[in-house]
Amino acid sequence: MPQLSSGGGDDLGANDEMISFKDEGEQEEKIQENAFTERDLADLKSSLVNESEINQSPNAAAVRRGQQGEQRGFPDKHREHLDVVSKQQDGGMYKSPGYPGYPFLMLPDPYLPNSSVSPSSNKVSVVQQSHGMHPLTSLLPYSNDHFSPSSPHLPTDMSQKTGVHRHQSQDLSGYYSLPPGGVSQITPSMSWQSQPVYPALSPCGFRQPYPSNLPSASSYSRFSHSLMLGPSGMHPTGIPHPAIVPPTGKQEHEQYDRSMYVKPQVEPKREKEPKKPVIKKPLNAFMLYMKEMRAKVIAECTLKESAAINQILGRRWHALTREEQAKYYELARKERQLHMQLYPTWSARDNYEAGLSGVAGEKNKADWGKKKRRKREKQQDSNTGGKRSAFATFKEEAAPAQLLQI
DNA sequence: CTGCCTTTGAAGATT
DNA sequence: AATCTTCAAAGGCAG
């Protein structure tokens, strides 16, 4: 198992202590991964083919997991690394010069006996990113390349609306509201980001097939820009938290990142039937990484299909050094902490059967049942050599065109 | 219009 | 305890 499950009530804070890195072989693997540049395309190609083959094998899932375990086992190694990181921090804060972008977040561990969320005790000046970015992911200076350039500037009243009305709102307001001087508290220079994450890697993980149109510097500079952005918008609940989205099934994704800005805060439909907001899961390390790097990959690879991009990002993720990954694990950990503080009663289960709606109506339950059945069937199909996915076709057709240009 | 694809990781559910 | 399942994001694509 790649992950260490909860590990008790203090998992959020304890995960990193439990991490034990995979040892030396892993290091070699890392090195090899960094040789990615040379082999990546071939790897990706072959892996794409292999995957489709594997997926037809009876133990596709198991194989896949096995591969993953081989490849990463990172949570383990990561945790070990975090130990190191923590020791380096040794004051509770990130001092690591390699990770200067982080210090703007200081959260007490909610699981520590005396931890409190009082603003006074938190030097948190998390500036909420606009564009409906995950509020928690504001911890990470995501690239918003893919967002409309017109959206960065939010109405000033948006900040005013960030008055969280939850019972912890006062305590937590410091996390999400943008204090008058809040911007200045954010260090625009994210030095760990200002350096290419993959200096040795060409875009898409291949050899420079596509000269990047985007100067990396500019793309990174946008991170800091995003940091300067105000809150993304208001949820009907009054919680200025893009993680809370109207329960509209799939659409929630889009609303999560776009509609908050594109559309007015009030939608006629929603007015008619106000629904319980959906609080999204906090993003894990890889999701944070994806969110940050997606735009870059899109720009570099001229790919738009998320499935393909995610594959690339998955490979890049594995190519990251432990330290680099550790940053994201730590960010994710902080996000979980923050999420928990914001929504103490929230559980991942809330978004399970309810079909993503706070209103777990009968239809949603039924849909969920269907979904579950479909998934099972799909797995059976894949086990028995079911039909190939459209994306498999894409991989074979598009991948060579894109990936072969080494 | 809806769901799938694809990735990793967290966490709930199940065995 | 171990394993399985679902959901987070994303956007093109197929039905």
Side-chain angles (χ1 to χ4, degrees), chain A residues 20-240:
Chain A
S20 62
F21 283 128
K22 214 165 130 188
D23 39 45
E24 308 324 310
E26 178 72 19
Q27 190 58 40
E28 287 184 359
E29 187 181 337
K30 279 293 177 192
I31 295 171
Q32 290 177 354
E33 286 278 7
N34 286 333
F36 209 31
T37 313
E38 302 284 323
R39 301 179 324 167
D40 183 68
L41 177 54
D43 280 355
L44 188 48
K45 281 178 56 187
S46 62
S47 67
L48 292 179
V49 174
N50 289 341
E51 283 167 16
S52 45
E53 290 171 356
I54 289 170
N55 286 339
Q56 295 176 12
S57 70
N59 296 320
V63 169
R64 178 173 157 268
R65 287 174 187 275
Q67 288 176 333
Q68 291 176 343
E70 239 179 276
Q71 278 187 325
R72 36 177 156 141
F74 179 78
D76 287 344
K77 62 182 181 182
H78 161 69
R79 283 172 173 80
E80 183 177 304
H81 170 71
L82 284 184
D83 278 347
V84 176
V85 171
S86 299
K87 286 172 186 172
Q88 290 174 343
Q89 294 167 355
D90 195 32
M93 255 314 93
Y94 282 91
K95 299 171 184 173
S96 167
Y99 194 26
Y102 209 70
F104 58 79
L105 177 73
M106 297 180 71
L107 289 179
D109 189 331
Y111 299 100
L112 292 179
N114 292 327
S115 70
S116 71
V117 200
S118 90
S120 60
S121 64
N122 290 318
K123 301 298 180 186
V124 181
S125 62
V126 174
V127 179
Q128 214 174 3
Q129 180 163 354
S130 69
H131 312 300
M133 188 194 84
H134 194 297
L136 301 175
T137 55
S138 61
L139 303 180
L140 183 66
Y142 295 124
S143 166
N144 284 311
D145 292 349
H146 52 299
F147 289 113
S148 161
S150 62
S151 52
H153 306 293
L154 292 165
T156 49
D157 62 337
M158 294 295 268
S159 302
Q160 296 168 355
K161 290 181 182 179
T162 57
V164 183
H165 72 230
R166 290 171 60 95
H167 59 282
Q168 315 98 316
S169 62
Q170 289 187 340
D171 286 342
L172 292 169
S173 59
Y175 295 117
Y176 292 102
S177 64
L178 181 60
V183 167
S184 62
Q185 296 178 29
I186 302 296
T187 302
S189 67
M190 306 296 282
S191 72
W192 67 269
Q193 299 225 9
S194 61
Q195 297 178 351
V197 177
Y198 308 99
L201 291 180
S202 59
C204 308
F206 341 124
R207 290 182 219 162
Q208 217 61 33
Y210 306 101
S212 175
N213 303 336
L214 294 180
S216 58
S218 69
S219 66
Y220 282 122
S221 68
R222 261 172 279 188
F223 290 156
S224 53
H225 176 65
S226 68
L227 275 174
M228 312 294 281
L229 302 177
S232 58
M234 284 294 295
H235 186 274
T237 61
I239 302 174

Side-chain angles (χ1 to χ4, degrees), chain A residues 258-285:
Chain A
R258 292 191 217 109
S259 304
M260 290 253 184
Y261 313 96
V262 174
K263 299 177 184 177
Q265 296 153 12
V266 178
E267 281 188 58
K269 279 185 181 178
R270 310 204 188 295
E271 261 186 341
K272 288 178 182 177
E273 28 181 298
K275 293 177 180 177
K276 189 178 174 181
V278 174
I279 300 172
K280 311 287 281 190
K281 287 177 68 173
L283 302 187
N284 64 36

